[in-house]
Each structure stands twice: as structure tokens, then as C-alpha cells.
Amino acid sequence: MEQKLFDLIYASVLAKEHTYDGIYYTCVRTTRIFCRPSCRARTPYPQNVRFVSSPEEAIKLGFRPCKRCKPEEAGELGPDEMMAAKVDHLIEQDLSRPVTLNILAGQLAVSPFHLQKVYKRVKGYSPAEYLQEVRMKEAKKLLAQDRPTVAMIARVVGFRSPSHFTVWFKREAGCSPRDYRALYSKGDRI
């Protein structure tokens, strides 16, 4: 591999960027481990690094996959992105059940602190912010229908009391659930 290309890839390893993930793999001679270039593990010295183009090639050379970034698993998503996607799925699965950072972390077998840090780094916002967004979207969808009462909608989107739901909805949407329903039924949309 020419030095200029090596320097570009190694710079992405230093920055923990995803630029070369799936294109090159970082083999560390001293540990006999190979990683994705974006792996959060300690950065190896350049003289201890060899880049290969496939996990198979790394294994053939006698390196084993990193347990942190799991480079042998297919797909562009690293473990952090996969964890964030699992959190999104858990949140969207059933809004009526309690959803807290501790519950999500327990379901994924990680600490709440680690989950919050990883999710925010990957997504740019917290799991709580995403939960509020999903709740609002579902509440607006249900309010657009005539059938469900505000109390029923409150339970479906995870609120124990209609009054708490109404206060939250008014703060987030700028109008009460009843006003939103009235505006929506007239053809206006907030």
C-alpha cells in the first residue's frame, strides 16, 4: 500500500471516522486483532498497523476480530449504530409501556450512561428526545381520527393520566389535543 493512501486511512483511524469502514480493516500486529477504522478501541501506533480489504484476508493472516467493533459482521453499521437502531426499535415497539433509560439499558445489557452517550453521539439527540418525537407523531395521528378519546390516546402514547397528556401536548404542539383535533377536522394541519 502506498504511503499516501496509508496516511489517509490512518488519519481516519485517529479521528475514529467511518470513512473507510467496510473498505479497509485495521490489523494491529502487536495484539493480532483486526478492527474497523472507526473502532473506539485505543489507537495503535502506525508502525504496528497493516490495512487489509476484507475480514477474510485479516483472518487468513492470523488476526482475530475485535470484540468491540465486530468487523466480521456484515453491514456498514458499527456496533454503536446498531445499538442506536435497537433503541429506536424498542421505543417504537409499544409506547403504552413505561420507557426509561434504565429499562432500555437493561434490555440491551449496557449501562444507562453508556447507552445515553453512544445514542447521543450516533443520533445527535437523546433517547428521551426521540421518545417524545415518536409520542407526538402517534398522538397527532390518533387525534386526526374521530374515534379515540383523548384519554385513550393518552394511554396509547404512554401517559397515565389524560390531564398530564394534555399539558404535555399543549406545551409541545402549542394547542390542546381537542383544539388540534378541531383544527385537523377543518382541514388545517399543525
Side-chain angles (χ1 to χ4, degrees):
M1 173 178 284
E2 65 181 59
Q3 189 62 39
K4 188 175 181 181
L5 180 58
F6 180 91
D7 291 342
L8 281 172
I9 300 168
Y10 189 74
S12 77
V13 171
L14 285 172
K16 311 288 188 202
E17 294 176 347
H18 297 275
T19 309
Y20 294 102
D21 279 6
I23 301 170
Y24 291 105
Y25 296 87
T26 308
C27 296
V28 184
R29 291 183 180 108
T30 53
T31 60
R32 304 303 297 168
I33 294 173
F34 74 97
C35 303
R36 295 170 189 261
S38 64
C39 184
R40 296 276 168 201
R42 186 174 171 195
T43 305
Y45 293 113
Q47 64 268 23
N48 296 331
V49 171
R50 176 178 180 172
F51 294 111
V52 295
S53 58
S54 73
E56 294 79 20
E57 183 180 352
I59 291 168
K60 193 181 284 185
L61 291 170
F63 294 91
R64 69 175 177 80
C66 173
K67 291 180 180 176
R68 179 178 270 184
C69 70
K70 300 177 178 140
E72 76 283 8
E73 291 183 2
E76 291 180 20
L77 295 182
D80 292 350
E81 289 83 0
M82 288 176 66
M83 183 188 300
K86 287 177 186 175
V87 169
D88 288 350
H89 176 71
L90 290 170
I91 287 172
E92 295 163 1
Q93 211 171 15
D94 182 11
L95 291 174
S96 64
R97 64 178 169 67
V99 179
T100 65
L101 194 58
N102 285 334
I103 290 171
L104 292 170
Q107 290 174 317
L108 297 173
V110 296
S111 76
F113 174 77
H114 179 69
L115 175 62
Q116 175 84 358
K117 184 177 88 174
V118 167
Y119 190 91
K120 192 153 189 163
R121 186 181 66 241
V122 170
K123 297 286 192 165
Y125 47 85
S126 71
E129 290 170 307
Y130 183 67
L131 173 62
Q132 296 305 320
E133 180 185 318
V134 171
R135 281 181 168 163
M136 181 57 74
K137 187 176 178 182
E138 184 66 16
K140 285 181 174 182
K141 183 179 95 177
L142 293 170
L143 284 167
Q145 303 167 6
D146 287 334
R147 285 197 123 144
T149 65
V150 172
M152 288 169 58
I153 294 169
R155 276 192 305 277
V156 168
V157 297
F159 290 89
R160 291 187 183 165
S161 76
S163 60
H164 185 208
F165 168 71
T166 301
V167 169
W168 170 80
F169 190 89
K170 190 170 189 172
R171 184 182 67 235
E172 298 294 319
C175 65
S176 72
R178 294 191 199 292
D179 292 343
Y180 181 85
R181 179 173 270 166
L183 286 170
Y184 190 85
S185 66
K186 290 179 183 174
D188 298 334
R189 193 169 194 169
I190 294 177

